[in-house]
């Protein structure tokens, strides 16, 4: 077991060399992307945009590709997004556009509080000293910030209320961008495209891009920008590495199921089920707890509450080739893919922690850390929160990419994951300062989204956010912050630690969330229907039919054409395996 | 004299007018607005409320035909019926015990009994959720201990038992309220009729049934009305314990209205449901409280 204290300079040197190597590769990729963009733009211009439409099969909805933003060059305002933001504020002040005494109010998601306002003098296990990001902004720009914090589950209501009441409480808000169209519909936020052109933030560009799916989620089908990324949760698969590496266990498993125990993580959902069955009730030596009774191991903890059952459903549904709409705008939830996905989810129920059906991650985290469950699906912070748990201390964190299904048509394995609940910064339309100087909250957003500022705030002491930028997997501060307590995972990429390797694989395979108007209702519909099936209240046929019918009702209430167009934005930005599966170029 | 009385009345009205205006504004305006909204198809995510088209009674028809709403009404009625009855019986028993028996340190025990009522419902909901957990839940552990076998009942996964768990949580929290009202009522009863009955040879049972209970009737009615009204609005405990599940089998009217009105932003739709429920509650309450009003000739 390696922990942060065991770290030596050689390790750091090794990681630094990897860091340098990566950035060089990224720079090269960036140049290629820029060249490709120039060529692409020329081709599109020459062909009158016809080719652009054709390339976005299966439908011909015109979209603005994200690579159009990949031509960031230093401007007179500064070389980096943060410099440009700060200098722009100074310029606005000098020109008298910012009235004397102007201040900004910011609704900050509570989990990010310690990233922005850490306890003074605190330090995170040798990573870096606390940096008060509010003070830093105020010192740089002279614009005071008032910060209110709120639990992320309550942000939606506040955001919509701003639109209804036009109260002007906040200028910048943390919001889940999944509900983007609700905020636009409620007239609560402003588009940022004009400012984007003027001040050039770095989104999917430069040496430290957002992972692309997050950047796509910040835009609507026309390419308009509506926010900046803060924290996106994708899901990885975890299991007890200390148990699966036991040769006796491996032999017993192979004897029972006639194939080797997938030591480096299951590739198929059927393997997850088999492992759940095999491990359920296990009482071997790995279950020993100091000074306590050994807990009985359950085969898994797979959420069956509304929120998480939605996530797992989408992952399986997409891997099985499911789509929400067909080309003719018909809702296609009542499909073989949906039935298989839900049926397979239920197959795990007998072997998993019973309370997973009625509880959620606050119960799962300690259950996994306390050696009560063998496997789970979770976001990055599982290991961060459970870093000192019995499971972590005994090497019980194996972190892998989400399992998948084999496509029967060509025998190819498809593994994807869903990016969910992407907390972002949006500019509130009715904020007092927004109404006077809309650039100001935008510039704060751009400053916060700057690669260096962003990494700095996320790696701050007390941070509990998950990562939103691929570069952070190469940043020593982030590696130390998020992986200090995790065991090596040498089969993915030797030299770096923990879940970062799994994240590297997962990031390009993320699917955008189902960003449609009325998403809250859709989530509840799917969650309650599946829960009723998992608890034997209704059969599979009724479940899927109710999901289909309820979804159609919600979709039609907001206009099927619009909802279809929004969904196509997701489809057109599918990760490579799904594009290949559906023949999307 | 009549003139002076008129002037005094005017002055009194003037004094009370500002408060009346404020209260009526706070009461009537939102109520009228809710009625208006219930006749539109307004959803905040579709634009401002004053631009929402009027759909007439459509929302009322839709919501009354919605099986989920019907289910929420049935669940709520079951909770109200079972929980309030149990709370009344237990509260009456406790009050009678405290009233009749010579219990030492009565005030200490009274305070202890009242503690559950002072706990925030959200906290008691969370506590009861962990109590009814299948694995490691206290309820199963106690049953295992008593029965001598391992009990692993999925209390919160089975519709009937999940509803029972919610009812038990409510009973635990609100029995003290019944006890408090009934005990206060008993101590306020005139002692003469009870003493006279004892002298005339009535048994304690007869005294309770023939003398105390009739005299307690107004208090009992008030206690039942207050508790039933409160239980009808039950939200925190089932929301935290079961989130309305499994499926929607423990969803109450308040959870339904919260989900549709706040979470799904379907305010017009939820307003229709809320007004329907309001009308029902008013009718039931007026009918129930009729017995409290003096009858003609009394």
């Amino acid at each position: 077991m390696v922990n942060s204290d065991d770290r030596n300079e050689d390790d750091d040197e090794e990681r630094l060399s990897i860091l340098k190597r990566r950035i060089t590769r990224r720079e090269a990729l960036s140049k290629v992307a820029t060249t490709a963009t120039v060529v692409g733009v020329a081709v599109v211009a020459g062909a009158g945009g016809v080719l652009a439409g054709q390339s976005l099969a299966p439908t011909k909805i015109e979209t603005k590709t994200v690579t159009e933003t990949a031509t960031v060059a230093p401007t007179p305002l500064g070389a980096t997004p943060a410099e440009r933001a700060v200098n722009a504020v100074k310029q606005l002040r000098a020109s008298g556009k910012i009235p004397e005494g102007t201040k900004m109010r910011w609704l900050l998601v509570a989990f990010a509080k310690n990233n922005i306002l850490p306890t003074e003098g605190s330090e995170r296990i040798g990573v870096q000293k606390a940096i008060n990001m509010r003070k830093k902004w105020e010192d740089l720009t002279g614009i005071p910030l008032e910060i209110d914090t709120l639990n992320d589950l309550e942000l939606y209501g506040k955001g919509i209320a701003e639109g209804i009441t036009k109260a002007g409480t906040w200028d910048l808000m943390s919001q889940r961008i999944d509900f983007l169209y609700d905020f636009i519909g409620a007239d609560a936020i402003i588009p940022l495209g004009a400012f984007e052109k003027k001040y050039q933030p770095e989104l999917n560009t430069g040496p430290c891009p957002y992972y692309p799916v997050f950047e796509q989620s910040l835009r609507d089908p026309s390419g308009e920008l509506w926010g900046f990324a803060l924290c996106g949760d994708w899901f990885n698969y975890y299991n007890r590495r200390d148990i699966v590496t036991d040769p006796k266990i491996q032999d017993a498993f192979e004897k029972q199921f006639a194939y080797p125990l997938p030591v480096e993580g299951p590739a198929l959902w059927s393997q997850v089920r088999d492992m759940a069955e095999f491990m359920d009730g296990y009482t071997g030596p790995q279950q020993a707890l100091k000074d306590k009774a050994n807990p009985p191991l359950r085969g898994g903890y797979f959420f069956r509450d509304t929120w998480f059952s939605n996530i797992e459903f989408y992952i399986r549904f997409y891997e099985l080739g499911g789509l929400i709409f067909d080309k003719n705008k018909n809702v296609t939830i009542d499909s073989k893919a949906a039935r298989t996905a839900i049926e397979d989810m239920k197959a795990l129920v007998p072997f998993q922690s019973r309370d997973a059906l009625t509880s959620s991650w606050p119960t799962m985290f300690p259950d996994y850390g306390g050696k009560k469950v063998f496997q789970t699906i979770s976001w990055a912070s599982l290991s961060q929160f459970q870093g000192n748990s019995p499971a972590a201390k005994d090497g019980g964190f194996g972190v892998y990419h989400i399992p998948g299904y084999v496509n029967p048509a060509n025998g190819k394995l498809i593994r994807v994951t869903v990016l969910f609940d992407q907390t972002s910064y949006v500019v509130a339309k009715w904020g007092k300062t927004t109404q006077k100087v809309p650039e100001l909250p935008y510039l704060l957003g751009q400053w916060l989204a700057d690669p260096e500022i962003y990494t700095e705030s996320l790696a701050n002491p007390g941070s509990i956010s998950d990562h939103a930028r691929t570069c952070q997997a190469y940043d020593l501060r982030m590696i130390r912050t998020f992986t200090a307590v995790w065991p090596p995972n040498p089969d993915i990429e030797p030299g770096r630690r923990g879940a970062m390797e799994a994240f590297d694989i997962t990031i390009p395979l993320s699917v955008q969330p189902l960003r449609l108007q009325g998403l809250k209702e859709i989530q509840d519909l799917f969650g309650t229907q599946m829960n009723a099936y998992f608890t034997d209240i209704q059969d599979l046929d009724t479940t899927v039919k109710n999901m289909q019918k309820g979804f159609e009702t919600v979709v039609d209430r907001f206009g099927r054409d619009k909802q279809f167009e929004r969904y196509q934005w997701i489809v057109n930005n599918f990760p490579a395996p799904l594009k290949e599966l559906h023949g999307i170029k | 004299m009549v003139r002076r009385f008129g002037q005094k009345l005017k002055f009194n009205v003037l004094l009370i007018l500002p408060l009346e205006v404020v209260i009526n504004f706070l009461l009537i305006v939102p109520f009228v607005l809710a009625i208006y909204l219930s006749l539109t198809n307004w959803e905040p995510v579709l634009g401002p409320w004053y631009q929402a088209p009027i759909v007439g009674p459509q929302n009322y028809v839709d919501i009354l035909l919605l099986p989920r709403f019907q289910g929420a009404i049935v669940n709520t009625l079951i909770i109200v019926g079972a929980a309030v009855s149990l709370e009344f019986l237990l509260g009456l028993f406790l009050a009678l015990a405290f009233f009749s028996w010579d219990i030492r340190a009565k005030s200490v025990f009274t305070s202890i009994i009242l503690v559950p009522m002072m706990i925030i419902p959200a906290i008691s909901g969370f506590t009861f959720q962990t109590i009814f957990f299948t694995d490691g839940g206290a309820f199963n552990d106690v049953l295992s201990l008593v029965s001598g076998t391992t009990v692993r009942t999925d209390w919160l996964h089975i519709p009937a038992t999940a509803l029972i768990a919610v009812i038990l949580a409510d009973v635990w929290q609100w029995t003290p309220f019944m006890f408090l009202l009934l005990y206060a009522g008993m101590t306020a009863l005139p002692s003469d009729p009870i003493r006279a009955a004892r002298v005339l040879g009535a048994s304690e049972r007869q005294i309770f049934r023939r003398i105390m209970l009739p005299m307690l009737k107004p208090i009992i009615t008030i206690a039942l009305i207050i508790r039933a009204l409160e239980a009808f609005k039950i939200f925190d405990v089932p929301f935290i314990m079961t989130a309305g599940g499994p499926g929607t089998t423990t969803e109450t009217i308040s959870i339904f209205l919260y989900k549709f009105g706040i979470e799904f932003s379907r305010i017009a739709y939820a307003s229709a449901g809320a007004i329907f429920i309001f009308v029902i509650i008013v009718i039931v309450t007026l009918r129930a409280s009729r017995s409290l009003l003096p009858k003609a000739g009394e």
Side-chain angles (χ1 to χ4, degrees):
Chain A
M1 168 68 208
V2 184
N3 63 41
S4 63
D5 300 330
D6 299 326
R7 196 182 300 118
N8 58 43
E9 285 180 8
D10 290 344
D11 289 343
D12 286 353
E13 280 302 314
E14 188 188 345
R15 277 187 292 276
L16 267 175
S17 67
I18 292 161
L19 179 68
K20 282 173 188 166
R21 190 187 78 213
R22 287 284 173 175
I23 286 174
T24 307
R25 200 167 75 191
R26 284 182 181 282
E27 279 170 351
L29 283 171
S30 178
K31 279 177 187 169
V32 170
T34 310
T35 313
T37 306
V38 172
V39 173
V41 168
V43 169
V44 170
V50 174
L51 289 178
Q54 283 178 343
S55 69
L56 293 167
T59 57
K60 292 184 180 177
I61 288 159
E62 218 165 293
T63 59
K64 179 179 162 186
T65 59
V66 292
T67 48
E68 277 183 78
T69 59
T71 49
V72 175
T75 71
L77 280 171
T80 68
E83 278 176 31
R84 290 194 284 276
V86 170
N87 290 333
V89 175
K90 287 176 182 168
Q91 213 174 58
L92 286 168
R93 288 186 77 175
S95 65
K97 284 184 180 165
I98 300 176
E100 205 55 44
T102 295
K103 61 182 177 186
M104 272 195 291
R105 291 198 71 184
W106 178 10
L107 181 64
L108 179 67
V109 61
F111 67 66
K113 185 187 172 190
N114 291 328
N115 306 36
I116 306 297
L117 304 166
T119 312
E120 204 171 334
S122 57
E123 192 172 321
R124 186 180 180 84
I125 47 174
V127 180
Q128 63 173 343
K129 284 221 166 98
I131 300 163
N132 187 316
M133 305 307 284
R134 169 162 74 178
K135 192 170 178 299
K136 189 167 182 168
W137 163 265
E138 288 177 347
D139 290 346
L140 284 167
T141 62
I143 305 289
L145 272 181
E146 284 181 6
I147 298 179
D148 297 315
T149 55
L150 193 70
N151 180 293
D152 62 336
L153 295 172
E154 293 160 41
L155 291 170
Y156 175 84
K158 292 286 181 193
I160 298 294
E162 284 290 284
I164 298 172
T165 60
K166 305 181 182 3
T169 319
W170 299 286
D171 300 297
L172 193 72
M173 291 192 290
S174 306
Q175 285 292 351
R176 289 179 177 176
I177 209 72
D178 310 38
F179 304 112
L180 173 67
Y181 298 116
D182 283 351
F183 296 126
I184 296 172
D187 201 22
I189 59 176
I190 63 169
L192 308 175
F195 300 139
E196 183 192 13
K197 270 187 188 161
K198 195 172 170 186
Y199 298 113
Q200 297 180 334
E202 282 184 17
L203 301 176
N204 199 20
T205 65
C208 189
Y210 291 132
Y211 45 94
V213 68
F214 205 152
E215 201 265 342
Q216 288 149 13
S217 297
L218 300 168
R219 299 180 186 278
D220 65 21
S222 73
E224 179 66 79
L225 181 71
W226 291 90
F228 295 103
L230 165 62
C231 170
D233 286 319
W234 66 84
F235 290 79
N236 282 334
Y237 167 87
Y238 293 77
N239 74 19
R240 287 280 299 283
R241 194 172 171 79
D242 55 335
I243 299 179
V244 294
T245 47
D246 182 341
K248 281 182 194 164
I249 297 284
Q250 291 168 5
D251 289 346
F253 183 89
E254 193 164 356
K255 207 172 172 186
Q256 188 172 335
F257 293 98
Y259 67 90
L261 178 68
V263 179
E264 294 308 327
L268 297 166
W269 284 108
S270 56
Q271 294 172 337
V272 173
R273 201 218 71 90
D274 290 346
M275 285 199 285
E277 184 187 341
F278 182 76
M279 297 294 177
D280 197 34
Y282 177 71
T283 53
Q286 294 88 351
Q287 285 301 94
L289 285 178
K290 201 182 171 187
D291 303 329
K292 279 183 188 171
N294 297 346
L297 189 71
R298 296 309 309 256
Y301 196 121
F302 295 97
F303 306 104
R304 294 293 177 263
D305 66 329
T306 289
W307 195 18
F308 289 96
S309 54
N310 266 270
I311 293 165
E312 201 183 310
F313 169 72
Y314 290 127
I315 291 171
R316 289 172 182 259
F317 181 67
Y318 283 134
E319 287 176 340
L320 285 159
L323 286 172
I324 303 290
F325 292 100
D326 67 11
K327 287 176 187 173
N328 300 318
K329 303 179 189 175
N330 297 312
V331 175
T332 50
I333 289 167
D334 186 358
S335 61
K336 192 170 180 287
R339 284 165 191 267
T340 306
I342 298 168
E343 215 170 4
D344 286 359
M345 285 165 81
K346 190 179 180 181
L348 283 165
V349 169
F351 311 115
Q352 69 175 44
S353 172
R354 301 301 299 153
D355 303 307
L357 285 163
T358 40
S359 52
S360 190
W361 69 268
T363 316
M364 183 278 282
F365 274 34
D367 274 11
Y368 188 84
K371 295 187 170 185
K372 288 181 182 172
V373 292
F374 167 71
Q375 56 187 341
T376 190
I377 286 175
S378 176
W379 45 50
S381 55
L382 171 63
S383 301
Q384 197 182 10
F385 278 132
Q386 293 298 316
N388 293 315
S389 67
K393 283 178 178 165
D394 294 341
F397 274 98
V399 191
Y400 308 98
H401 177 41
I402 293 283
Y405 286 98
V406 172
N407 179 4
N410 56 15
K412 275 192 177 176
L413 174 65
I414 297 175
R415 300 170 79 172
V416 295
T417 189
V418 177
L419 191 71
F420 225 72
D421 298 307
Q422 306 164 96
T423 310
S424 309
Y425 300 117
V426 292
V427 176
K429 182 173 181 179
W430 305 101
K432 287 187 177 66
T433 298
T434 307
Q435 298 233 39
K436 287 182 211 156
V437 201
E439 275 122 312
L440 209 46
Y442 164 85
L443 290 167
L444 173 59
Q446 174 163 323
W447 183 75
L448 288 163
D450 173 88
E452 179 54 28
I453 300 290
Y454 192 97
T455 310
E456 201 169 61
S457 65
L458 275 190
N460 243 338
S463 164
I464 63 159
S465 287
D466 303 333
H467 342 285
R469 283 174 182 273
T470 52
C471 71
Q472 285 163 349
Y474 304 94
D475 185 290
L476 280 181
R477 288 167 298 184
M478 295 303 291
I479 291 169
R480 287 171 180 174
T481 302
F482 283 92
T483 66
V485 293
W486 292 349
N489 199 343
D491 294 296
I492 298 177
E493 185 181 333
R496 288 189 295 123
R497 263 187 268 151
M500 289 297 185
E501 291 88 348
F503 296 167
D504 286 349
I505 297 169
T506 309
I507 287 162
L509 297 174
S510 303
V511 185
Q512 278 191 61
L514 193 65
R515 289 190 315 143
L516 300 177
Q517 221 165 352
L519 180 60
K520 284 254 178 192
E521 199 173 341
I522 294 167
Q523 284 178 353
D524 183 81
L525 169 76
F526 285 11
T528 51
Q529 288 302 320
M530 284 191 280
N531 191 270
Y533 174 57
F534 298 147
T535 50
D536 296 322
I537 294 170
Q538 65 190 26
D539 60 25
L540 179 63
D541 191 54
T542 310
T543 303
V544 179
K545 283 196 160 54
N546 284 350
M547 286 165 72
Q548 163 95 10
K549 197 178 158 194
F551 184 83
E552 280 177 336
T553 310
V554 178
V555 160
D556 290 341
R557 223 172 57 239
F558 295 103
R560 190 172 288 214
D561 289 347
K562 273 188 189 171
Q563 299 280 59
F564 178 74
E565 186 187 4
R566 288 161 186 158
Y567 185 65
Q568 286 312 116
W569 175 245
I570 296 170
V571 171
N572 292 329
N573 288 298
F574 266 165
L578 292 187
K579 277 191 171 174
E580 193 188 331
L581 180 69
H582 295 290
I584 303 164
K585 287 175 188 169
Chain B
M1 189 173 165
V2 174
R3 203 175 155 190
R4 269 184 66 189
F5 178 75
Q7 280 175 341
K8 198 178 172 188
L9 192 68
K10 268 186 192 171
F11 181 67
N12 288 349
V13 169
L14 269 177
L15 281 178
I16 208 167
L17 196 63
L19 190 64
E20 280 297 317
V21 169
V22 171
I23 287 174
N24 282 307
F25 183 80
L26 291 176
L27 211 72
I28 292 170
V29 172
F31 186 65
V32 171
L33 196 61
I35 293 173
Y36 172 75
L37 289 177
S38 72
L39 302 171
T40 70
N41 73 348
W42 182 52
E43 293 185 42
V45 296
L46 288 173
W49 64 274
Y50 46 82
Q51 286 176 2
I54 290 173
V55 294
Q58 193 59 46
N59 285 330
Y60 290 88
V61 175
D62 289 350
I63 205 164
L64 287 174
L65 293 175
L66 190 72
R68 188 167 169 177
F69 185 65
Q70 295 163 358
I73 292 175
V74 171
N75 293 336
T76 310
L77 289 175
I78 292 171
I79 292 172
V80 171
V84 175
S85 306
L86 278 171
E87 285 157 20
F88 170 69
L89 291 174
L90 286 170
L92 187 65
F93 172 76
L94 282 171
L96 209 55
F98 270 64
F99 181 73
S100 312
W101 301 339
D102 187 20
I103 298 171
R104 280 188 184 179
K106 213 176 250 186
S107 60
V108 175
F109 284 113
T110 308
S111 304
I112 291 170
I113 285 175
L114 296 183
V115 166
M117 204 172 72
M118 296 167 196
I119 291 171
I120 296 165
I123 303 295
S124 70
F126 185 72
T127 309
F128 270 84
Q129 187 198 27
T130 54
I131 287 172
F132 283 104
F133 270 168
T134 311
D135 295 330
F139 205 69
N140 274 342
D141 286 352
V142 169
L143 290 178
S144 301
L145 205 69
V146 172
S147 65
T149 55
T150 307
V151 178
R152 284 285 172 268
T153 305
D154 293 329
W155 291 98
L156 302 177
H157 302 175
I158 304 163
T161 54
L163 213 53
I164 289 170
V166 170
I167 290 166
L168 288 178
D170 193 74
V171 168
W172 175 81
Q173 181 142 46
W174 293 110
T175 295
F177 178 77
M178 282 288 190
F179 160 75
L180 192 68
L181 282 191
L182 295 173
Y183 184 52
M186 284 178 192
T187 52
L189 289 178
S191 57
D192 289 351
I194 297 170
R195 262 188 293 174
R198 262 195 204 117
V199 171
L200 291 170
S203 67
E204 290 301 314
R205 199 174 165 181
Q206 283 173 321
I207 290 171
F208 175 70
R209 280 190 60 194
R210 300 284 169 83
I211 297 172
M212 287 175 69
L213 216 50
M215 285 197 289
L216 279 172
K217 197 180 162 190
I219 294 284
I220 291 172
T221 310
I222 288 169
L224 288 174
I225 288 174
I226 293 175
R227 264 313 297 146
L229 285 178
E230 281 300 309
F232 213 81
K233 293 183 282 184
I234 189 168
F235 177 83
D236 325 46
V237 170
F239 190 75
I240 289 168
M241 280 179 77
T242 63
T248 54
T249 50
T250 58
E251 194 166 88
T252 61
I253 292 166
S254 292
I255 295 177
F256 175 92
L257 294 178
Y258 166 76
K259 280 191 173 176
F260 277 76
I262 308 298
E263 278 197 358
F264 311 160
S265 291
R266 296 185 68 181
I267 293 179
Y269 196 66
S271 296
I275 284 162
F276 170 76
I277 296 299
F278 171 77
V279 171
I280 300 294
I281 288 179
V282 167
I283 293 169
V284 172
T285 310
L286 285 178
R287 198 167 169 76
S289 57
R290 195 180 287 171
S291 62
L292 294 172
L293 301 171
K295 287 171 188 154
E298 278 185 20

